[in-house]
Amino acid sequence: MSFKKMSALLLVAMLAVGAFGCKKKEEAKEGAAPAAAPAGNTIKIGFLGALTGDVAMFGKPTLEGMKMAADEINAAGGIQGKKIEIVEADNRGDKQEGASVTQKFISRDNVTAIVGDPTTGITKVAAPIAQKAGVVLLSAGATGPGVVEVGDFIFRDTLLDSIAIPACIEYFAKDLGFKKVAIVTSDNNDYSVGLSQTFRDAAAKVPSIKIVADEKVKDGDKDFSAQITNIKSKKPDVILFSGYYTEGALIMKEARKQGLKAPMFGGDGLFSPKFIELGGPAVEGSMSALGFSTEQAAPATAKFIEAFKAKHNGELPGLFDAQGYDAVMLLADSMKRANSVDPKVFKTALAQTKKFEGVSGTISMQANREPIKSPLSLLAVKDGKFVLKAKVPVKMD
């Protein structure tokens, strides 16, 4: 073979290799490959949530509950002989970081499922990524709209605002005699915007309830004097604040400063020791609607409470501990019923869950993969602590 022919063949080979390499690079740009059934001796479940920052009060206990469930499952032999491994990362409550963590869980850690985020906003960012990759995402905290609509791999196990709010309004009207409500919405917070609209829609169906004020604030605001001045003139029986505990506490301090005596009502965004710490006496009487309470506990919940106390030096579990625990247990239950750890298979079993006895309540999945949970726990701040005010049953059918 001549030198010219050898050179030509080498050139063709180099071009072919280069073209192959370019193709691989282009494929890599398209995103993570769809999830495959886990190999080896572990089933990896990612924790999506904040461990630092303003919403770490939701993320940290969610992770604690997840780890507790994984330990119990592993001690009992795991699933199909495989141990559950919780893969954790800190998204700092940031949407962009939440998306990045979700991508890493899928492409680097090869997770089978993701639990989180506890907040609606980050869950809505992570859900399309998980759906595209075929990884089950089960939020243990997101209560706002627009989550499961993303696709058939997306679930949650928390008490929905659409179920909790109508039950609370009925209780307010019939049991507490409330008639006039002031709404305060944090309009740069997806969770808050959704909760306020749910309240408006539900209140419109109860003739005795009237919305007398509808104010807007933003996460991060410090001065609420103008909003409270407007609300005070309307003399409401209760203030619905649909945001998180930091702004909620400051709003109530301003309300008390101006002599407004109406209590605050909110969702699980208010349920944090920080709400009481920041608000002090101003938040006495404030109420939070939750899917969990340590008081009047059902047998499964009582067992969980005792195990948690033994593990955490007598400390009582909170809502997010319970929902994180239930999330892992729901995933494990669906894997067992499906006899598969492949998310493409066990997602069907998860969608068919009926009357699962979780520690945060009895859970059934509706046809749209939204949970129905019973009972609703309405907690109120009394003497510097959240205590049970009422347990409201929810229809499971």
Side-chain angles (χ1 to χ4, degrees):
M1 184 181 294
S2 70
F3 177 76
K4 287 185 178 180
K5 286 184 178 180
M6 285 185 66
S7 298
L9 287 171
L10 284 170
L11 179 60
V12 169
M14 290 172 67
L15 288 171
V17 171
F20 180 76
C22 289
K23 183 179 180 182
K24 284 295 183 183
K25 287 179 181 177
E26 289 301 316
E27 289 174 351
K29 289 179 182 178
E30 293 177 2
N41 296 318
T42 60
I43 301 168
K44 293 184 178 181
I45 298 176
F47 157 74
L48 182 65
L51 298 176
T52 58
D54 291 341
V55 292
M57 294 297 295
F58 308 140
K60 287 180 178 179
T62 301
L63 179 58
E64 286 178 353
M66 289 176 64
K67 287 181 175 179
M68 187 170 167
D71 288 345
E72 289 185 16
I73 293 166
N74 292 341
I79 301 170
Q80 295 186 347
K82 299 176 184 288
K83 300 291 187 181
I84 290 179
E85 177 186 345
I86 305 299
V87 183
E88 59 184 271
D90 179 12
N91 67 30
R92 307 191 305 276
D94 178 80
K95 289 183 179 180
Q96 186 173 348
E97 188 63 20
S100 177
V101 168
T102 304
Q103 290 280 16
K104 289 176 183 176
F105 281 159
I106 295 167
S107 60
R108 182 192 65 188
D109 299 309
N110 298 314
V111 299
T112 298
I114 297 170
V115 172
D117 188 276
T119 68
T120 300
I122 295 177
T123 301
K124 290 168 74 171
V125 171
I129 301 170
Q131 178 67 29
K132 183 178 179 181
V135 169
V136 168
L137 184 147
L138 196 165
S139 173
T143 60
V147 174
V148 300
E149 292 87 341
V150 171
D152 59 348
F153 283 85
I154 312 303
F155 301 79
R156 48 186 169 185
D157 73 347
T158 188
L159 179 69
L160 300 179
D161 296 334
S162 59
I163 293 173
I165 295 303
C168 287
I169 289 177
E170 186 175 341
Y171 176 78
F172 290 162
K174 291 183 178 180
D175 293 76
L176 300 183
F178 290 167
K179 295 180 178 180
K180 297 191 292 184
V181 181
I183 295 177
V184 182
T185 306
S186 181
D187 62 8
N188 63 341
N189 179 324
D190 291 342
Y191 162 71
S192 182
V193 172
L195 177 57
S196 287
Q197 190 56 50
T198 299
F199 191 95
R200 294 184 195 100
D201 294 342
K205 298 176 182 178
V206 182
S208 63
I209 295 289
K210 183 180 180 181
I211 297 172
V212 296
D214 204 332
E215 297 288 331
K216 301 290 190 295
V217 300
K218 293 188 181 298
D219 282 5
D221 284 353
K222 305 294 184 186
D223 183 359
F224 302 101
S225 55
Q227 290 90 345
I228 293 300
T229 297
N230 292 338
I231 290 171
K232 182 182 176 183
S233 67
K234 307 297 183 181
K235 298 180 180 179
D237 296 310
V238 64
I239 301 169
L240 166 75
F241 176 56
S242 54
Y244 293 139
Y245 58 86
T246 303
E247 290 74 25
L250 295 176
I251 288 169
M252 287 309 294
K253 290 181 81 169
E254 180 62 33
R256 297 299 180 254
K257 180 181 176 181
Q258 293 195 29
L260 181 58
K261 296 181 179 180
M264 176 172 279
F265 165 70
D268 55 19
L270 294 185
F271 184 68
S272 167
K274 284 287 185 183
F275 178 64
I276 299 170
E277 180 183 323
L278 292 169
V283 302
E284 282 286 310
S286 293
M287 295 171 285
S288 177
L290 304 173
F292 175 76
S293 172
T294 57
E295 299 176 67
Q296 300 178 18
T301 306
K303 182 179 178 182
F304 166 73
I305 291 168
E306 290 307 310
F308 188 94
K309 287 168 63 178
K311 194 176 183 70
H312 295 276
N313 298 317
E315 180 184 344
L316 285 170
L319 170 69
F320 292 94
D321 296 292
Q323 290 184 165
Y325 178 94
D326 278 347
V328 173
M329 287 298 188
L330 277 165
L331 290 169
D333 176 69
S334 64
M335 291 176 193
K336 290 174 182 176
R337 285 188 287 114
N339 195 30
S340 175
V341 295
D342 184 341
K344 296 178 183 62
V345 178
F346 74 74
K347 72 178 177 67
T348 301
L350 182 57
Q352 295 171 347
T353 298
K354 296 298 179 186
K355 296 186 177 179
F356 174 85
E357 293 298 325
V359 301
S360 66
T362 302
I363 304 168
S364 290
M365 291 293 175
Q366 302 176 78
N368 60 357
R369 302 174 314 286
E370 291 279 41
I372 298 177
K373 294 182 70 172
S374 183
L376 158 72
S377 295
L378 185 65
L379 277 66
V381 180
K382 183 179 180 181
D383 299 327
K385 294 180 180 179
F386 275 107
V387 298
L388 184 67
K389 187 175 183 71
K391 281 209 171 184
V392 183
V394 174
K395 293 181 180 179
M396 296 297 292
D397 300 320

